[in-house]
Amino acid sequence: MSKRTRAASLTTFVAASVAFGAVLAGPADATGKDTSASKHTSTNASAKEMKATKASAWPKFLSASQLPPHPSSSWTAGKVTDGVPDELRFCIQDTLPGYDSRYRDFRTDLETNAQQLTFVVGSNAKAKALATRLNKDIRACVTRIEQSDPETEAALKDYGKLSVEEGAHAYGLHTETSWGATDINLYSVGRDGRAVTLVRWAQMGDFSDAPVKAFKKTTTTAVNKLY
């Protein structure tokens, strides 16, 4: 769904700390050598190792080349960021509290855009429950859109399940306003173990403009890349 053309539609509905530490120099040891430098180095090394371990524990994200090909523009991938992108909040806002999540934005030079949002939870059972809730949220988003804005009509297509890891499901969501703005969104939810990922693709148009086959391939890749 285009941010520019959805100003009065889906996007409109979307309604740090900095840590500082100091290392105090310790006294010289019995040999007269100052051990503060080695302690500082050890502390820094440990911090880097912890940061690297945490980063490697997180699932991998799609790259720009793995999005559905655009006929006249290449994709650009943003940085992986903590939180939830605004484009996804409206449909899944009731499910969001309490989950650790990261996302990545993708853009073309035109109106087409995409996001991948990934959650990691404490167990496979919790991940399965989360995936079920996200699928339910997407199916219910049509009603939420129309109730929030009587000037917008929405329609959903269920593109079915995908056989990948613990499973995935794909959908199409079309919206049209009373003044003629029309947008097509593709959504998918997939799971691998404790990780759940949600992928969204959007541009101006209707169901006939949706690259469903390519989007399913993107979804399969996204789930396979998680772990």
Side-chain angles (χ1 to χ4, degrees):
M1 184 180 300
S2 163
K3 276 187 172 180
R4 190 177 306 165
T5 59
R6 301 305 301 148
S9 191
L10 248 178
T11 304
T12 305
F13 303 143
V14 175
S17 65
V18 176
F20 178 80
V23 178
L24 298 178
D29 64 10
T31 62
K33 296 180 180 179
D34 189 347
T35 61
S36 62
S38 61
K39 287 182 179 179
H40 193 134
T41 301
S42 177
T43 300
N44 286 344
S46 297
K48 289 180 180 179
E49 288 173 0
M50 290 178 65
K51 185 176 181 181
T53 300
K54 183 177 180 181
S56 63
W58 257 88
K60 295 179 180 179
F61 281 76
L62 290 165
S63 62
S65 64
Q66 293 166 330
L67 273 291
H70 191 280
S72 59
S73 176
S74 59
W75 285 94
T76 299
K79 294 181 179 180
V80 175
T81 305
D82 290 340
V84 179
D86 289 341
E87 292 87 346
L88 293 175
R89 286 186 177 276
F90 180 74
C91 286
I92 65 170
Q93 59 188 3
D94 293 340
T95 300
L96 292 178
Y99 291 105
D100 189 13
S101 63
R102 291 181 179 179
Y103 70 93
R104 191 174 204 178
D105 276 319
F106 301 89
R107 295 277 182 258
T108 66
D109 294 334
L110 302 175
E111 295 291 337
T112 311
N113 63 89
Q115 295 80 36
Q116 181 185 7
L117 170 66
T118 298
F119 301 87
V120 176
V121 297
S123 68
N124 288 353
K126 289 181 178 180
K128 182 178 180 180
L130 174 57
T132 297
R133 289 184 62 182
L134 290 172
N135 278 289
K136 183 178 179 180
D137 286 343
I138 293 172
R139 290 193 294 267
C141 198
V142 166
T143 301
R144 175 172 287 187
I145 291 170
E146 293 183 337
Q147 289 179 343
S148 299
D149 183 4
E151 298 296 313
T152 300
E153 293 184 357
L156 183 77
K157 281 191 177 183
D158 188 330
Y159 291 123
K161 297 179 180 180
L162 305 179
S163 181
V164 54
E165 298 299 342
E166 273 73 56
H169 208 118
Y171 306 87
L173 176 62
H174 175 246
T175 58
E176 184 172 3
T177 66
S178 59
W179 58 89
T182 178
D183 294 279
I184 180 65
N185 291 253
L186 297 177
Y187 290 90
S188 62
V189 177
R191 182 173 75 89
D192 183 5
R194 297 187 300 111
V196 178
T197 196
L198 191 160
V199 181
R200 170 185 176 269
W201 171 98
Q203 71 172 30
M204 296 172 60
D206 56 28
F207 287 115
S208 65
D209 301 301
V212 177
K213 184 176 181 180
F215 182 73
K216 287 183 175 182
K217 182 178 180 180
T218 292
T219 297
T220 299
T221 301
V223 177
N224 276 326
K225 287 187 73 172
L226 290 174
Y227 290 121

